[in-house]
Amino acid sequence: MDLSAEQARNIALVSQGMASSISDKPDSHAFKRTLDSLGVVQIDAVNAVARSHLLVLRSRLGGSHQHLEKLLQQQTYKNHVLAEYWGHEASFLPTSEWPLYKWRMKRAADGEIWKGIRNFAKEKPDYIKQILNELTKRGPSKASDFEKGGRKGSWWGWSDSKLALEWLFWIGEVTVANRINFTRYYDLPENIFPKEICTSAPEESTAHKTLILNAARCLGVATAEDIVDYHRLPKKLAKLRLKELEEDHELSKVSVEGWTENAYILTKLDDTEHTTRTSLLSPFDPIVWFRPRAKRLFNFEYKLEIYRPKNKRLFGYYVMPFLYDNMLRARLDIKANRSLNTLELLGSFSEPKLMNKLAVQALWRELEILANACELTSISVSDNGDLAPALRKLAKSK
């Protein structure tokens, strides 16, 4: 089977939930549909516009970020449809799939984890046991509830209690029961999840195969590298499992126009073309989070510049790609200035030959939608970037 580049983009975007209907107040059914299409939603603390997970959900569901936050809180910490764990980085993921990561929990317990936490766990096993025992007695608690004298560890400036709880979270001994003002409250999994979730423990190879098939479904069409990255699987083992799934006819290889590597699709893939959405995407949206895939699908070179010194940034601090008519056609440096009640467009840059009058008008409408989602009443446009004159003209006409 051969796919054109355009067909591959459409399959990828439809699979990511970018063709579903939106609403001013999406409900739990729409939320579940979006969760099914994404598999995992990365959690990120940067709040330049809104938390990344809210931007990702808005792109598929519509609605205000405030409404989406309430829906997410309800589905994660009250109904427990979602759980937190390391799926693709720190992530929300279906609670039903939490057991599929027990191999990662075991590997973390065996030392396959960030050096700072690993060293802490080796140095202070008794302290970690003490924290676990205390949490068992107390129920849902934040790290600061266990602190004495504000003693800080050396890793990220975290306290010893935070390090202990994060270690326990990594190895599956605790989970996140709630978040208040983005602060985690921890508890035992057996106090949160159904018994069958806590006791289920698929073999590592079985879990890898399931996660690979999930990634292939969510991505639509993807190289081995794309699929392995989606759940951050061990590369060598995952590629063996990919081969086995191909031999079992659950995955099929395809050629995509312009791609140097073969791609995989689900053997029973529905490749019907659909109209996909116009949207400004979070830098941590799964459409673009794996930069080689963004280049492969859209010819879009994308680098996160948050951690670059300001004078070395090419496009800005929080740069959101603009998706229109199945292509990434521009990038916008955006900030929600809540003190001024304004969505600030600090830079606006088109991709070569991809923006026309209709695309610019669609971009302005999307900026208005984003401002409404942030509950901001105005948009300001700086003169930075080649799209600035056209956008400033539209701003003045409003």
Side-chain angles (χ1 to χ4, degrees), residues 85-87 98-110 112 201-208 211 231-234 237:
Y85 191 63
W86 294 95
W98 187 77
L100 295 176
Y101 298 89
K102 288 190 176 179
W103 62 272
R104 179 165 286 158
M105 299 170 192
K106 182 180 182 302
R107 285 182 174 227
D110 291 339
E112 290 188 29
E203 292 290 330
E204 180 170 297
S205 61
T206 301
H208 286 177
L211 291 171
H231 296 102
R232 297 289 169 85
L233 300 177
L237 288 175

Side-chain angles (χ1 to χ4, degrees), residues 70-89:
K70 289 179 180 177
L71 189 58
L72 183 63
Q73 286 279 129
Q74 180 188 55
Q75 295 301 306
T76 308
Y77 308 118
K78 183 178 179 181
N79 298 341
H80 305 297
V81 174
L82 291 183
E84 291 193 35
Y85 191 63
W86 294 95
H88 178 98
E89 300 294 337

Side-chain angles (χ1 to χ4, degrees), residues 172-187:
E173 292 291 323
V174 307
T175 189
V176 180
N178 198 7
R179 279 186 186 260
I180 299 176
N181 297 325
F182 211 62
T183 297
R184 280 174 167 172
Y185 284 70
Y186 302 86
D187 201 356

Side-chain angles (χ1 to χ4, degrees), residues 33-51:
R33 180 193 67 218
T34 294
L35 177 62
D36 289 343
S37 69
L38 291 170
V40 292
V41 179
Q42 185 175 337
I43 303 168
D44 192 82
V46 177
N47 198 21
V49 177
R51 304 285 187 197

